[in-house]
Amino acid sequence: MSKRRDKRARPRPGRNADAFRCLHCRLDVPMSAPGTRHRNHCPNCLYSRHVDRDVPGDRAAECGARMEPIAISVRGDGEWVIIHRCTACGELGANRTAGDDNPLILVRLATRPLAAPPFPLERLAAL
């Protein structure tokens, strides 16, 4: 285990070990969240941190960089999942949404492909 990982794993003095500070918006976020057991994204801006390697909650990734929310996926049972891309290594990850996630940011993320399609809208008229 690297020294960098060791420093990150220990709670900083004066900090709540049951919370983390969002790398993007700097909000102090509680680790507990309605609807998920392994919170690692901010309910305010939906950014995450590259902490899990193989399974949710393993906290085994060495990267530790910011994970940008890039899309929403919907599972067969209707559950929404946030797709994140690491800003350092490019790895993709999926996180279950939590009950206290910002609904406006979730909907904005889900409708992004419709608001800015990857092709000119004029092509639709030609179909």
PDB file of all heavy atoms in Angstrom, residues 38-76:
ATOM      1  N   HIS A  38     -22.671   2.245   0.275  1.00  0.00           N
ATOM      2  CA  HIS A  38     -21.295   2.681   0.045  1.00  0.00           C
ATOM      3  C   HIS A  38     -21.278   4.020  -0.671  1.00  0.00           C
ATOM      4  O   HIS A  38     -20.980   4.087  -1.854  1.00  0.00           O
ATOM      5  CB  HIS A  38     -20.524   1.645  -0.778  1.00  0.00           C
ATOM      6  CG  HIS A  38     -20.605   0.267  -0.224  1.00  0.00           C
ATOM      7  ND1 HIS A  38     -19.967  -0.093   0.940  1.00  0.00           N
ATOM      8  CD2 HIS A  38     -21.265  -0.826  -0.645  1.00  0.00           C
ATOM      9  CE1 HIS A  38     -20.218  -1.357   1.192  1.00  0.00           C
ATOM     10  NE2 HIS A  38     -21.000  -1.821   0.244  1.00  0.00           N
ATOM     11  N   ARG A  39     -21.605   5.078   0.026  1.00  0.00           N
ATOM     12  CA  ARG A  39     -21.628   6.389  -0.619  1.00  0.00           C
ATOM     13  C   ARG A  39     -20.213   6.841  -0.926  1.00  0.00           C
ATOM     14  O   ARG A  39     -19.345   6.825  -0.077  1.00  0.00           O
ATOM     15  CB  ARG A  39     -22.277   7.428   0.277  1.00  0.00           C
ATOM     16  CG  ARG A  39     -21.990   8.833  -0.273  1.00  0.00           C
ATOM     17  CD  ARG A  39     -22.692   9.907   0.424  1.00  0.00           C
ATOM     18  NE  ARG A  39     -23.904  10.146  -0.324  1.00  0.00           N
ATOM     19  CZ  ARG A  39     -24.905  10.839   0.140  1.00  0.00           C
ATOM     20  NH1 ARG A  39     -24.880  11.328   1.337  1.00  0.00           N
ATOM     21  NH2 ARG A  39     -25.962  11.038  -0.593  1.00  0.00           N
ATOM     22  N   ASN A  40     -20.011   7.237  -2.170  1.00  0.00           N
ATOM     23  CA  ASN A  40     -18.750   7.878  -2.518  1.00  0.00           C
ATOM     24  C   ASN A  40     -18.974   8.964  -3.563  1.00  0.00           C
ATOM     25  O   ASN A  40     -18.073   9.310  -4.302  1.00  0.00           O
ATOM     26  CB  ASN A  40     -17.684   6.871  -2.967  1.00  0.00           C
ATOM     27  CG  ASN A  40     -18.028   6.213  -4.286  1.00  0.00           C
ATOM     28  OD1 ASN A  40     -19.136   6.312  -4.771  1.00  0.00           O
ATOM     29  ND2 ASN A  40     -17.064   5.530  -4.862  1.00  0.00           N
ATOM     30  N   HIS A  41     -20.192   9.504  -3.622  1.00  0.00           N
ATOM     31  CA  HIS A  41     -20.418  10.658  -4.473  1.00  0.00           C
ATOM     32  C   HIS A  41     -21.166  11.727  -3.679  1.00  0.00           C
ATOM     33  O   HIS A  41     -21.845  11.438  -2.704  1.00  0.00           O
ATOM     34  CB  HIS A  41     -21.169  10.293  -5.756  1.00  0.00           C
ATOM     35  CG  HIS A  41     -22.603   9.934  -5.563  1.00  0.00           C
ATOM     36  ND1 HIS A  41     -23.019   8.646  -5.275  1.00  0.00           N
ATOM     37  CD2 HIS A  41     -23.728  10.693  -5.606  1.00  0.00           C
ATOM     38  CE1 HIS A  41     -24.330   8.637  -5.168  1.00  0.00           C
ATOM     39  NE2 HIS A  41     -24.791   9.869  -5.354  1.00  0.00           N
ATOM     40  N   CYS A  42     -20.981  12.955  -4.109  1.00  0.00           N
ATOM     41  CA  CYS A  42     -21.581  14.104  -3.436  1.00  0.00           C
ATOM     42  C   CYS A  42     -23.044  14.252  -3.866  1.00  0.00           C
ATOM     43  O   CYS A  42     -23.325  14.241  -5.059  1.00  0.00           O
ATOM     44  CB  CYS A  42     -20.785  15.360  -3.811  1.00  0.00           C
ATOM     45  SG  CYS A  42     -21.488  16.898  -3.199  1.00  0.00           S
ATOM     46  N   PRO A  43     -23.978  14.411  -2.929  1.00  0.00           N
ATOM     47  CA  PRO A  43     -25.378  14.562  -3.302  1.00  0.00           C
ATOM     48  C   PRO A  43     -25.673  15.928  -3.926  1.00  0.00           C
ATOM     49  O   PRO A  43     -26.693  16.105  -4.582  1.00  0.00           O
ATOM     50  CB  PRO A  43     -26.121  14.407  -1.972  1.00  0.00           C
ATOM     51  CG  PRO A  43     -25.140  14.839  -0.944  1.00  0.00           C
ATOM     52  CD  PRO A  43     -23.794  14.420  -1.477  1.00  0.00           C
ATOM     53  N   ASN A  44     -24.770  16.875  -3.763  1.00  0.00           N
ATOM     54  CA  ASN A  44     -24.969  18.224  -4.288  1.00  0.00           C
ATOM     55  C   ASN A  44     -24.577  18.335  -5.761  1.00  0.00           C
ATOM     56  O   ASN A  44     -25.363  18.790  -6.587  1.00  0.00           O
ATOM     57  CB  ASN A  44     -24.162  19.219  -3.443  1.00  0.00           C
ATOM     58  CG  ASN A  44     -24.347  20.636  -3.892  1.00  0.00           C
ATOM     59  OD1 ASN A  44     -25.467  21.112  -4.016  1.00  0.00           O
ATOM     60  ND2 ASN A  44     -23.257  21.321  -4.144  1.00  0.00           N
ATOM     61  N   CYS A  45     -23.354  17.895  -6.112  1.00  0.00           N
ATOM     62  CA  CYS A  45     -22.849  18.057  -7.487  1.00  0.00           C
ATOM     63  C   CYS A  45     -22.691  16.726  -8.215  1.00  0.00           C
ATOM     64  O   CYS A  45     -22.398  16.716  -9.412  1.00  0.00           O
ATOM     65  CB  CYS A  45     -21.527  18.812  -7.477  1.00  0.00           C
ATOM     66  SG  CYS A  45     -20.172  17.906  -6.692  1.00  0.00           S
ATOM     67  N   LEU A  46     -22.842  15.603  -7.515  1.00  0.00           N
ATOM     68  CA  LEU A  46     -22.755  14.239  -8.034  1.00  0.00           C
ATOM     69  C   LEU A  46     -21.342  13.792  -8.395  1.00  0.00           C
ATOM     70  O   LEU A  46     -21.151  12.693  -8.914  1.00  0.00           O
ATOM     71  CB  LEU A  46     -23.689  14.022  -9.233  1.00  0.00           C
ATOM     72  CG  LEU A  46     -25.160  14.326  -9.004  1.00  0.00           C
ATOM     73  CD1 LEU A  46     -25.959  14.023 -10.254  1.00  0.00           C
ATOM     74  CD2 LEU A  46     -25.711  13.579  -7.810  1.00  0.00           C
ATOM     75  N   TYR A  47     -20.328  14.617  -8.128  1.00  0.00           N
ATOM     76  CA  TYR A  47     -18.949  14.194  -8.365  1.00  0.00           C
ATOM     77  C   TYR A  47     -18.577  13.134  -7.343  1.00  0.00           C
ATOM     78  O   TYR A  47     -19.135  13.079  -6.240  1.00  0.00           O
ATOM     79  CB  TYR A  47     -17.979  15.371  -8.257  1.00  0.00           C
ATOM     80  CG  TYR A  47     -17.764  16.098  -9.561  1.00  0.00           C
ATOM     81  CD1 TYR A  47     -18.746  16.936 -10.074  1.00  0.00           C
ATOM     82  CD2 TYR A  47     -16.590  15.939 -10.291  1.00  0.00           C
ATOM     83  CE1 TYR A  47     -18.557  17.605 -11.268  1.00  0.00           C
ATOM     84  CE2 TYR A  47     -16.390  16.599 -11.485  1.00  0.00           C
ATOM     85  CZ  TYR A  47     -17.383  17.428 -11.975  1.00  0.00           C
ATOM     86  OH  TYR A  47     -17.190  18.079 -13.162  1.00  0.00           O
ATOM     87  N   SER A  48     -17.627  12.300  -7.709  1.00  0.00           N
ATOM     88  CA  SER A  48     -17.173  11.221  -6.855  1.00  0.00           C
ATOM     89  C   SER A  48     -15.657  11.287  -6.760  1.00  0.00           C
ATOM     90  O   SER A  48     -15.028  12.210  -7.278  1.00  0.00           O
ATOM     91  CB  SER A  48     -17.621   9.881  -7.453  1.00  0.00           C
ATOM     92  OG  SER A  48     -17.271   8.810  -6.613  1.00  0.00           O
ATOM     93  N   ARG A  49     -15.092  10.297  -6.110  1.00  0.00           N
ATOM     94  CA  ARG A  49     -13.646  10.163  -6.021  1.00  0.00           C
ATOM     95  C   ARG A  49     -13.296   8.737  -6.388  1.00  0.00           C
ATOM     96  O   ARG A  49     -13.997   7.802  -6.002  1.00  0.00           O
ATOM     97  CB  ARG A  49     -13.184  10.473  -4.599  1.00  0.00           C
ATOM     98  CG  ARG A  49     -11.698  10.491  -4.449  1.00  0.00           C
ATOM     99  CD  ARG A  49     -11.297  10.963  -3.080  1.00  0.00           C
ATOM    100  NE  ARG A  49      -9.891  11.294  -3.090  1.00  0.00           N
ATOM    101  CZ  ARG A  49      -9.284  11.917  -2.115  1.00  0.00           C
ATOM    102  NH1 ARG A  49      -9.958  12.277  -1.042  1.00  0.00           N
ATOM    103  NH2 ARG A  49      -8.012  12.184  -2.197  1.00  0.00           N
ATOM    104  N   HIS A  50     -12.239   8.555  -7.133  1.00  0.00           N
ATOM    105  CA  HIS A  50     -11.841   7.230  -7.584  1.00  0.00           C
ATOM    106  C   HIS A  50     -11.238   6.468  -6.399  1.00  0.00           C
ATOM    107  O   HIS A  50     -10.037   6.509  -6.175  1.00  0.00           O
ATOM    108  CB  HIS A  50     -10.833   7.361  -8.725  1.00  0.00           C
ATOM    109  CG  HIS A  50     -10.607   6.081  -9.449  1.00  0.00           C
ATOM    110  ND1 HIS A  50      -9.821   6.009 -10.557  1.00  0.00           N
ATOM    111  CD2 HIS A  50     -11.063   4.826  -9.228  1.00  0.00           C
ATOM    112  CE1 HIS A  50      -9.790   4.759 -10.991  1.00  0.00           C
ATOM    113  NE2 HIS A  50     -10.538   4.023 -10.192  1.00  0.00           N
ATOM    114  N   VAL A  51     -12.105   5.792  -5.654  1.00  0.00           N
ATOM    115  CA  VAL A  51     -11.659   5.072  -4.463  1.00  0.00           C
ATOM    116  C   VAL A  51     -11.875   3.566  -4.556  1.00  0.00           C
ATOM    117  O   VAL A  51     -11.152   2.808  -3.937  1.00  0.00           O
ATOM    118  CB  VAL A  51     -12.334   5.608  -3.170  1.00  0.00           C
ATOM    119  CG1 VAL A  51     -11.884   7.023  -2.884  1.00  0.00           C
ATOM    120  CG2 VAL A  51     -13.832   5.519  -3.244  1.00  0.00           C
ATOM    121  N   ASP A  52     -12.867   3.122  -5.317  1.00  0.00           N
ATOM    122  CA  ASP A  52     -13.160   1.683  -5.405  1.00  0.00           C
ATOM    123  C   ASP A  52     -12.513   1.101  -6.659  1.00  0.00           C
ATOM    124  O   ASP A  52     -12.514   1.713  -7.721  1.00  0.00           O
ATOM    125  CB  ASP A  52     -14.668   1.441  -5.449  1.00  0.00           C
ATOM    126  CG  ASP A  52     -15.350   1.864  -4.154  1.00  0.00           C
ATOM    127  OD1 ASP A  52     -14.673   1.894  -3.116  1.00  0.00           O
ATOM    128  OD2 ASP A  52     -16.554   2.177  -4.198  1.00  0.00           O
ATOM    129  N   ARG A  53     -11.975  -0.124  -6.507  1.00  0.00           N
ATOM    130  CA  ARG A  53     -11.306  -0.753  -7.649  1.00  0.00           C
ATOM    131  C   ARG A  53     -12.176  -1.830  -8.278  1.00  0.00           C
ATOM    132  O   ARG A  53     -12.483  -1.759  -9.460  1.00  0.00           O
ATOM    133  CB  ARG A  53      -9.966  -1.347  -7.229  1.00  0.00           C
ATOM    134  CG  ARG A  53      -9.227  -1.950  -8.406  1.00  0.00           C
ATOM    135  CD  ARG A  53      -7.836  -2.435  -8.081  1.00  0.00           C
ATOM    136  NE  ARG A  53      -7.838  -3.321  -6.939  1.00  0.00           N
ATOM    137  CZ  ARG A  53      -6.804  -3.489  -6.135  1.00  0.00           C
ATOM    138  NH1 ARG A  53      -5.686  -2.852  -6.354  1.00  0.00           N
ATOM    139  NH2 ARG A  53      -6.882  -4.309  -5.107  1.00  0.00           N
ATOM    140  N   ASP A  54     -12.563  -2.843  -7.509  1.00  0.00           N
ATOM    141  CA  ASP A  54     -13.268  -3.980  -8.101  1.00  0.00           C
ATOM    142  C   ASP A  54     -14.758  -4.025  -7.757  1.00  0.00           C
ATOM    143  O   ASP A  54     -15.577  -4.335  -8.610  1.00  0.00           O
ATOM    144  CB  ASP A  54     -12.617  -5.294  -7.656  1.00  0.00           C
ATOM    145  CG  ASP A  54     -11.175  -5.389  -8.146  1.00  0.00           C
ATOM    146  OD1 ASP A  54     -10.909  -4.983  -9.291  1.00  0.00           O
ATOM    147  OD2 ASP A  54     -10.321  -5.859  -7.371  1.00  0.00           O
ATOM    148  N   VAL A  55     -15.091  -3.743  -6.515  1.00  0.00           N
ATOM    149  CA  VAL A  55     -16.492  -3.783  -6.087  1.00  0.00           C
ATOM    150  C   VAL A  55     -16.798  -2.543  -5.253  1.00  0.00           C
ATOM    151  O   VAL A  55     -15.904  -1.979  -4.622  1.00  0.00           O
ATOM    152  CB  VAL A  55     -16.802  -5.058  -5.258  1.00  0.00           C
ATOM    153  CG1 VAL A  55     -16.654  -6.314  -6.092  1.00  0.00           C
ATOM    154  CG2 VAL A  55     -15.942  -5.138  -4.022  1.00  0.00           C
ATOM    155  N   PRO A  56     -18.060  -2.094  -5.255  1.00  0.00           N
ATOM    156  CA  PRO A  56     -18.417  -0.927  -4.446  1.00  0.00           C
ATOM    157  C   PRO A  56     -18.055  -1.126  -2.983  1.00  0.00           C
ATOM    158  O   PRO A  56     -18.314  -2.178  -2.406  1.00  0.00           O
ATOM    159  CB  PRO A  56     -19.932  -0.817  -4.622  1.00  0.00           C
ATOM    160  CG  PRO A  56     -20.218  -1.501  -5.909  1.00  0.00           C
ATOM    161  CD  PRO A  56     -19.199  -2.600  -6.010  1.00  0.00           C
ATOM    162  N   GLY A  57     -17.402  -0.127  -2.413  1.00  0.00           N
ATOM    163  CA  GLY A  57     -17.045  -0.173  -1.007  1.00  0.00           C
ATOM    164  C   GLY A  57     -15.698  -0.777  -0.706  1.00  0.00           C
ATOM    165  O   GLY A  57     -15.271  -0.775   0.446  1.00  0.00           O
ATOM    166  N   ASP A  58     -14.960  -1.302  -1.718  1.00  0.00           N
ATOM    167  CA  ASP A  58     -13.679  -1.932  -1.401  1.00  0.00           C
ATOM    168  C   ASP A  58     -12.582  -0.908  -1.101  1.00  0.00           C
ATOM    169  O   ASP A  58     -11.610  -1.206  -0.433  1.00  0.00           O
ATOM    170  CB  ASP A  58     -13.241  -2.914  -2.483  1.00  0.00           C
ATOM    171  CG  ASP A  58     -12.810  -2.274  -3.800  1.00  0.00           C
ATOM    172  OD1 ASP A  58     -12.692  -1.038  -3.894  1.00  0.00           O
ATOM    173  OD2 ASP A  58     -12.593  -3.043  -4.763  1.00  0.00           O
ATOM    174  N   ARG A  59     -12.745   0.324  -1.567  1.00  0.00           N
ATOM    175  CA  ARG A  59     -11.809   1.430  -1.298  1.00  0.00           C
ATOM    176  C   ARG A  59     -10.363   1.041  -1.611  1.00  0.00           C
ATOM    177  O   ARG A  59      -9.432   1.446  -0.941  1.00  0.00           O
ATOM    178  CB  ARG A  59     -11.918   1.922   0.151  1.00  0.00           C
ATOM    179  CG  ARG A  59     -13.321   2.339   0.596  1.00  0.00           C
ATOM    180  CD  ARG A  59     -13.847   3.450  -0.274  1.00  0.00           C
ATOM    181  NE  ARG A  59     -15.028   4.083   0.304  1.00  0.00           N
ATOM    182  CZ  ARG A  59     -16.219   4.104  -0.268  1.00  0.00           C
ATOM    183  NH1 ARG A  59     -16.417   3.502  -1.408  1.00  0.00           N
ATOM    184  NH2 ARG A  59     -17.222   4.738   0.293  1.00  0.00           N
ATOM    185  N   ALA A  60     -10.168   0.241  -2.674  1.00  0.00           N
ATOM    186  CA  ALA A  60      -8.848  -0.295  -2.998  1.00  0.00           C
ATOM    187  C   ALA A  60      -8.149   0.425  -4.148  1.00  0.00           C
ATOM    188  O   ALA A  60      -7.028   0.080  -4.474  1.00  0.00           O
ATOM    189  CB  ALA A  60      -8.972  -1.785  -3.328  1.00  0.00           C
ATOM    190  N   ALA A  61      -8.789   1.405  -4.781  1.00  0.00           N
ATOM    191  CA  ALA A  61      -8.151   2.093  -5.907  1.00  0.00           C
ATOM    192  C   ALA A  61      -7.049   3.015  -5.407  1.00  0.00           C
ATOM    193  O   ALA A  61      -7.190   3.682  -4.389  1.00  0.00           O
ATOM    194  CB  ALA A  61      -9.183   2.892  -6.690  1.00  0.00           C
ATOM    195  N   GLU A  62      -5.948   3.046  -6.109  1.00  0.00           N
ATOM    196  CA  GLU A  62      -4.817   3.904  -5.744  1.00  0.00           C
ATOM    197  C   GLU A  62      -4.969   5.317  -6.310  1.00  0.00           C
ATOM    198  O   GLU A  62      -4.332   6.239  -5.841  1.00  0.00           O
ATOM    199  CB  GLU A  62      -3.515   3.290  -6.277  1.00  0.00           C
ATOM    200  CG  GLU A  62      -3.136   2.000  -5.583  1.00  0.00           C
ATOM    201  CD  GLU A  62      -2.654   2.218  -4.161  1.00  0.00           C
ATOM    202  OE1 GLU A  62      -2.022   3.241  -3.896  1.00  0.00           O
ATOM    203  OE2 GLU A  62      -2.926   1.347  -3.321  1.00  0.00           O
ATOM    204  N   CYS A  63      -5.781   5.501  -7.341  1.00  0.00           N
ATOM    205  CA  CYS A  63      -5.869   6.760  -8.083  1.00  0.00           C
ATOM    206  C   CYS A  63      -6.281   7.942  -7.192  1.00  0.00           C
ATOM    207  O   CYS A  63      -5.553   8.905  -7.059  1.00  0.00           O
ATOM    208  CB  CYS A  63      -6.838   6.607  -9.259  1.00  0.00           C
ATOM    209  SG  CYS A  63      -6.923   8.050 -10.320  1.00  0.00           S
ATOM    210  N   GLY A  64      -7.462   7.884  -6.616  1.00  0.00           N
ATOM    211  CA  GLY A  64      -7.933   8.938  -5.722  1.00  0.00           C
ATOM    212  C   GLY A  64      -8.333  10.233  -6.402  1.00  0.00           C
ATOM    213  O   GLY A  64      -8.620  11.219  -5.739  1.00  0.00           O
ATOM    214  N   ALA A  65      -8.383  10.253  -7.735  1.00  0.00           N
ATOM    215  CA  ALA A  65      -8.715  11.484  -8.466  1.00  0.00           C
ATOM    216  C   ALA A  65     -10.227  11.725  -8.497  1.00  0.00           C
ATOM    217  O   ALA A  65     -11.024  10.879  -8.091  1.00  0.00           O
ATOM    218  CB  ALA A  65      -8.171  11.412  -9.885  1.00  0.00           C
ATOM    219  N   ARG A  66     -10.592  12.858  -9.013  1.00  0.00           N
ATOM    220  CA  ARG A  66     -11.989  13.262  -9.146  1.00  0.00           C
ATOM    221  C   ARG A  66     -12.674  12.421 -10.222  1.00  0.00           C
ATOM    222  O   ARG A  66     -12.113  12.161 -11.269  1.00  0.00           O
ATOM    223  CB  ARG A  66     -11.998  14.724  -9.575  1.00  0.00           C
ATOM    224  CG  ARG A  66     -13.185  15.500  -9.200  1.00  0.00           C
ATOM    225  CD  ARG A  66     -13.030  16.930  -9.633  1.00  0.00           C
ATOM    226  NE  ARG A  66     -11.966  17.566  -8.867  1.00  0.00           N
ATOM    227  CZ  ARG A  66     -11.822  18.864  -8.758  1.00  0.00           C
ATOM    228  NH1 ARG A  66     -12.637  19.679  -9.381  1.00  0.00           N
ATOM    229  NH2 ARG A  66     -10.854  19.374  -8.038  1.00  0.00           N
ATOM    230  N   MET A  67     -13.908  11.993  -9.939  1.00  0.00           N
ATOM    231  CA  MET A  67     -14.718  11.249 -10.902  1.00  0.00           C
ATOM    232  C   MET A  67     -15.873  12.159 -11.320  1.00  0.00           C
ATOM    233  O   MET A  67     -16.713  12.520 -10.499  1.00  0.00           O
ATOM    234  CB  MET A  67     -15.265   9.965 -10.280  1.00  0.00           C
ATOM    235  CG  MET A  67     -14.235   8.963  -9.814  1.00  0.00           C
ATOM    236  SD  MET A  67     -13.564   7.938 -11.098  1.00  0.00           S
ATOM    237  CE  MET A  67     -14.867   6.782 -11.399  1.00  0.00           C
ATOM    238  N   GLU A  68     -15.900  12.511 -12.595  1.00  0.00           N
ATOM    239  CA  GLU A  68     -16.912  13.425 -13.123  1.00  0.00           C
ATOM    240  C   GLU A  68     -18.164  12.647 -13.524  1.00  0.00           C
ATOM    241  O   GLU A  68     -18.072  11.621 -14.203  1.00  0.00           O
ATOM    242  CB  GLU A  68     -16.351  14.137 -14.347  1.00  0.00           C
ATOM    243  CG  GLU A  68     -17.336  15.055 -15.021  1.00  0.00           C
ATOM    244  CD  GLU A  68     -16.777  15.686 -16.272  1.00  0.00           C
ATOM    245  OE1 GLU A  68     -15.745  15.230 -16.784  1.00  0.00           O
ATOM    246  OE2 GLU A  68     -17.399  16.648 -16.748  1.00  0.00           O
ATOM    247  N   PRO A  69     -19.353  13.124 -13.116  1.00  0.00           N
ATOM    248  CA  PRO A  69     -20.576  12.461 -13.571  1.00  0.00           C
ATOM    249  C   PRO A  69     -20.791  12.786 -15.050  1.00  0.00           C
ATOM    250  O   PRO A  69     -20.792  13.946 -15.439  1.00  0.00           O
ATOM    251  CB  PRO A  69     -21.668  13.079 -12.693  1.00  0.00           C
ATOM    252  CG  PRO A  69     -21.132  14.414 -12.295  1.00  0.00           C
ATOM    253  CD  PRO A  69     -19.639  14.274 -12.244  1.00  0.00           C
ATOM    254  N   ILE A  70     -20.935  11.753 -15.885  1.00  0.00           N
ATOM    255  CA  ILE A  70     -21.064  11.998 -17.325  1.00  0.00           C
ATOM    256  C   ILE A  70     -22.381  11.511 -17.913  1.00  0.00           C
ATOM    257  O   ILE A  70     -22.760  11.935 -18.998  1.00  0.00           O
ATOM    258  CB  ILE A  70     -19.895  11.378 -18.118  1.00  0.00           C
ATOM    259  CG1 ILE A  70     -19.836   9.864 -17.908  1.00  0.00           C
ATOM    260  CG2 ILE A  70     -18.579  12.042 -17.748  1.00  0.00           C
ATOM    261  CD1 ILE A  70     -18.891   9.151 -18.875  1.00  0.00           C
ATOM    262  N   ALA A  71     -23.095  10.622 -17.208  1.00  0.00           N
ATOM    263  CA  ALA A  71     -24.334  10.085 -17.770  1.00  0.00           C
ATOM    264  C   ALA A  71     -25.165   9.423 -16.678  1.00  0.00           C
ATOM    265  O   ALA A  71     -24.690   9.200 -15.562  1.00  0.00           O
ATOM    266  CB  ALA A  71     -24.017   9.066 -18.868  1.00  0.00           C
ATOM    267  N   ILE A  72     -26.382   9.111 -17.051  1.00  0.00           N
ATOM    268  CA  ILE A  72     -27.289   8.338 -16.201  1.00  0.00           C
ATOM    269  C   ILE A  72     -27.643   7.071 -16.955  1.00  0.00           C
ATOM    270  O   ILE A  72     -27.900   7.103 -18.158  1.00  0.00           O
ATOM    271  CB  ILE A  72     -28.587   9.126 -15.897  1.00  0.00           C
ATOM    272  CG1 ILE A  72     -28.313  10.361 -15.054  1.00  0.00           C
ATOM    273  CG2 ILE A  72     -29.642   8.239 -15.237  1.00  0.00           C
ATOM    274  CD1 ILE A  72     -27.926  10.085 -13.616  1.00  0.00           C
ATOM    275  N   SER A  73     -27.653   5.965 -16.253  1.00  0.00           N
ATOM    276  CA  SER A  73     -28.121   4.703 -16.804  1.00  0.00           C
ATOM    277  C   SER A  73     -29.303   4.267 -15.951  1.00  0.00           C
ATOM    278  O   SER A  73     -29.350   4.563 -14.754  1.00  0.00           O
ATOM    279  CB  SER A  73     -27.004   3.658 -16.733  1.00  0.00           C
ATOM    280  OG  SER A  73     -27.458   2.416 -17.194  1.00  0.00           O
ATOM    281  N   VAL A  74     -30.248   3.573 -16.563  1.00  0.00           N
ATOM    282  CA  VAL A  74     -31.412   3.096 -15.825  1.00  0.00           C
ATOM    283  C   VAL A  74     -31.425   1.584 -15.893  1.00  0.00           C
ATOM    284  O   VAL A  74     -31.416   0.990 -16.976  1.00  0.00           O
ATOM    285  CB  VAL A  74     -32.723   3.681 -16.404  1.00  0.00           C
ATOM    286  CG1 VAL A  74     -33.920   3.199 -15.595  1.00  0.00           C
ATOM    287  CG2 VAL A  74     -32.669   5.203 -16.429  1.00  0.00           C
ATOM    288  N   ARG A  75     -31.432   0.958 -14.734  1.00  0.00           N
ATOM    289  CA  ARG A  75     -31.456  -0.502 -14.646  1.00  0.00           C
ATOM    290  C   ARG A  75     -32.855  -1.019 -14.981  1.00  0.00           C
ATOM    291  O   ARG A  75     -33.818  -0.259 -15.017  1.00  0.00           O
ATOM    292  CB  ARG A  75     -31.053  -0.956 -13.250  1.00  0.00           C
ATOM    293  CG  ARG A  75     -29.598  -0.682 -12.952  1.00  0.00           C
ATOM    294  CD  ARG A  75     -29.201  -1.230 -11.611  1.00  0.00           C
ATOM    295  NE  ARG A  75     -27.767  -1.071 -11.410  1.00  0.00           N
ATOM    296  CZ  ARG A  75     -27.187  -1.110 -10.230  1.00  0.00           C
ATOM    297  NH1 ARG A  75     -27.897  -1.315  -9.137  1.00  0.00           N
ATOM    298  NH2 ARG A  75     -25.879  -0.957 -10.128  1.00  0.00           N
ATOM    299  N   GLY A  76     -32.965  -2.316 -15.190  1.00  0.00           N
ATOM    300  CA  GLY A  76     -34.240  -2.940 -15.539  1.00  0.00           C
ATOM    301  C   GLY A  76     -35.354  -2.700 -14.535  1.00  0.00           C
ATOM    302  O   GLY A  76     -36.523  -2.646 -14.899  1.00  0.00           O
TER     303      GLY A  76
END
